[in-house]
């Protein structure tokens, strides 16, 4: 029996949950039925749209756009503030209901998760019957709706759940890819960010099907490793392992929730530098080197995305971690405001382990050595060790990168 995975996604979670709370307290108007958004402040006109009603969507209002833009599109737009404690409560209730079916749940964010249906398949006539039972129970018991996507891996299940909304069940099995997924715009593909889509358009690749039939080596020339990843996704290739919360995380990482949303790549790079130094220091303290790195982004909309690459040879260098993190960020970021950034390393090995180098690594090392006689790895290692010693003796804030120093603006009258 092949593995069956559900992707369960709450329809406009923040707005739906807020609507239910207001109806419970006696409000006669359901904000899901009028142009309404969650997020921002009408008086200050600051903030972004965290969730929108279907009538608000009809005005062209998009999740993640500034509220000032949304108000221009719909002057009568109703705005409600977010209530994250209430959202967490609804999320817990949802996950508890799903775990009454199976413990094999991987929660992606407050309003979406994967469920491995394989182990409970014998209890239902078909996966579609099970999905309808779960979807209808959620609507009847909690008052909000979900979309459920069904497939053999997580990628296709997630793609399926994004088909027509709300309150729907969709399948996207491998044999359905050509009919259901390939005709879609390449911008609909998971992990196809704004920058990647623009590159693909220049290559005259506009649909997922055209991407699937492209030469992956050609895509790598223009989009590096992300090009091959998108090609794999376009062909329906994805992970089929649902990682439940109980699975032990084998890696070292760090993340930070930002006091203000980051809106430029320059700002994000400063945060990634800080995180790289933190993770590199922890790797060295543990006597480990990392063979892979993942960058995680949580947008202001609370949507979580991540992107991973291998590191060969494995490293514990701040500079190399930072370089890889910047590459991943550039490929992943879709331009929306960022609430949280994180770096996670995995495939750890002892720092004393001998390094295995393939032919391509060897040639690259020769090229780098020819460009600069002193090996970069040695310089990185000595610098990192020196900084570790200073921080150990005088505290973490004893050494600060110049990138973190804000330039003081002088009064024009004082210049001269």
């Amino acid at each position: 029996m092949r593995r069956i995975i559900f992707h369960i996604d709450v329809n406009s979670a923040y707005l739906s949950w807020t609507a239910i709370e207001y109806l419970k307290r006696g409000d006669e108007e359901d904000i899901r039925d009028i142009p309404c958004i969650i997020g921002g402040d009408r008086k200050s006109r600051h903030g972004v749209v965290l969730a929108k009603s279907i009538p608000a969507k009809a005005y062209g209002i998009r999740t993640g756009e500034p509220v000032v833009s949304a108000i221009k599109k719909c002057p009568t737009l109703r705005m409600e503030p977010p209530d994250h404690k209430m959202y967490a409560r609804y999320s817990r209730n949802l996950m508890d209901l799903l775990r009454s079916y199976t413990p094999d749940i991987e929660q992606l964010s407050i309003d979406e998760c994967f469920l491995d249906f394989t182990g409970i398949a014998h209890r239902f006539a078909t996966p579609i019957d099970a999905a309808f039972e779960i979807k209808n129970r959620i609507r009847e018991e909690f008052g909000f709706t979900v979309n459920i996507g069904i497939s053999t891996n997580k990628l296709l299940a997630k793609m399926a759940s994004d088909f027509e909304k709300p309150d729907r069940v969709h399948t996207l099995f491998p044999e359905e890819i050509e009919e259901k997924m390939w005709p879609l715009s390449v911008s609909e593909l998971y992990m196809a960010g704004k920058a990647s889509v623009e590159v693909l358009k220049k290559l005259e690749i506009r649909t997922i099907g055209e991407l699937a039939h492209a030469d992956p080596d050609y895509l790598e020339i223009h989009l590096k490793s992300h090009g091959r990843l998108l090609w794999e996704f376009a062909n329906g290739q994805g992970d089929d392992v649902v990682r439940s919360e109980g699975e032990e995380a084998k890696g070292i990482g760090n993340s930070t929730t930002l006091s203000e949303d980051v809106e430029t790549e320059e700002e994000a790079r400063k945060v990634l530098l800080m995180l790289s130094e933190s993770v590199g220091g922890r790797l060295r303290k543990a006597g480990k080197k990392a063979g892979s790195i993942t960058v995680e982004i949580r947008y202001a909309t609370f949507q979580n995305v991540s992107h991973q690459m291998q590191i060969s040879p494995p490293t514990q260098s701040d500079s190399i971690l930072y370089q890889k993190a910047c590459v991943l960020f550039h490929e992943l970021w879709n331009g929306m405001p960022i609430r949280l950034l994180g770096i996670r390393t995995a495939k750890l090995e002892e720092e004393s382990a001998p390094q295995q180098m393939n032919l391509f690594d060897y040639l690259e090392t020769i090229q780098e050595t020819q460009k600069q006689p002193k090996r970069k790895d040695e310089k990185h290692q000595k610098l990192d060790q020196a900084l570790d010693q200073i921080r150990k003796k005088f505290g973490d804030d004893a050494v600060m990168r110049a990138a973190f120093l804000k330039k003081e603006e002088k009064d024009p009258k004082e210049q001269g």
Side-chain angles (χ1 to χ4, degrees), residues 387-399:
L387 293 176
D388 287 344
Q389 290 298 318
I390 294 172
R391 289 174 178 140
K392 183 177 180 180
K393 187 172 183 179
F394 299 105
D396 290 340
D397 297 328
V399 182

Side-chain angles (χ1 to χ4, degrees), residues 197-256:
V197 170
E198 288 303 314
V199 173
L200 293 172
K201 285 181 179 178
K202 291 178 181 177
L203 300 177
E204 298 186 349
I205 296 174
R206 290 177 170 78
T207 68
I208 297 177
E210 290 172 343
L211 177 60
H213 289 91
D215 182 346
D217 293 331
Y218 178 66
L219 294 172
E220 276 194 304
I221 293 172
H222 294 276
L223 288 167
K224 300 183 180 179
S225 60
H226 193 57
R228 183 169 290 273
L229 178 71
L230 292 177
W231 177 84
E232 291 173 353
F233 285 177
N235 282 284
Q237 300 174 23
D239 182 12
D240 67 351
V241 179
V242 173
R243 296 172 175 82
S244 60
E245 291 179 1
E247 185 174 335
E248 184 179 356
K250 297 179 180 179
I252 290 176
N254 194 11
S255 63
T256 181

Side-chain angles (χ1 to χ4, degrees), residues 354-370:
Q355 291 186 359
Q356 293 185 352
M357 189 176 294
N358 61 36
L359 176 61
F360 298 103
D361 295 329
Y362 175 71
L363 292 175
E364 185 177 347
T365 302
I366 291 176
Q367 290 173 351
E368 290 297 327
T369 304
Q370 289 173 344

Side-chain angles (χ1 to χ4, degrees), residues 268-298:
R269 282 175 173 267
K270 292 180 181 179
V271 179
L272 291 173
L273 178 57
M274 175 191 70
L275 293 172
S276 298
E277 291 181 337
S278 170
V279 173
R282 291 178 60 192
L283 284 168
R284 292 188 294 277
K285 186 174 182 179
K288 302 288 186 181
K289 288 185 177 182
S292 74
I293 181 171
T294 300
V295 166
E296 301 169 324
I297 297 176
R298 178 177 298 159

Side-chain angles (χ1 to χ4, degrees), residues 35-141:
C36 180
I37 63 169
I38 303 296
D41 181 273
R42 179 175 282 274
K43 291 183 179 179
S44 66
R45 300 170 77 86
H46 288 157
V48 297
V49 177
L50 300 180
K52 61 187 182 301
S53 65
I54 293 177
K57 183 180 179 181
Y59 281 88
I61 294 171
R62 296 174 291 102
T63 301
E65 77 171 297
V67 296
V68 63
S69 171
I71 294 171
K72 287 179 181 178
K73 294 176 180 177
C74 179
T76 60
L77 184 68
R78 179 167 167 178
M79 298 174 60
E80 296 296 336
D83 183 345
H84 298 295
K85 287 185 178 179
M86 182 259 287
Y87 302 154
R89 186 174 76 250
Y90 273 90
S91 179
R92 284 194 300 272
N93 292 340
L94 171 63
M95 297 303 157
D96 287 344
L97 182 149
L98 296 176
R99 289 191 183 94
S100 70
Y101 288 89
T102 175
D104 297 327
I105 305 288
E106 179 180 344
Q107 187 168 357
L108 298 179
S109 63
I110 199 167
D111 62 346
E112 64 175 324
C113 68
F114 289 112
L115 179 152
D116 191 334
F117 176 75
T118 315
I120 57 172
H122 63 281
R123 292 163 44 187
F124 300 90
T126 68
I128 294 176
D129 290 336
F132 270 99
E133 176 183 312
I134 292 171
K135 177 185 73 68
N136 293 340
R137 271 194 68 189
I138 291 169
R139 186 185 61 225
E140 292 162 9
E141 295 184 23

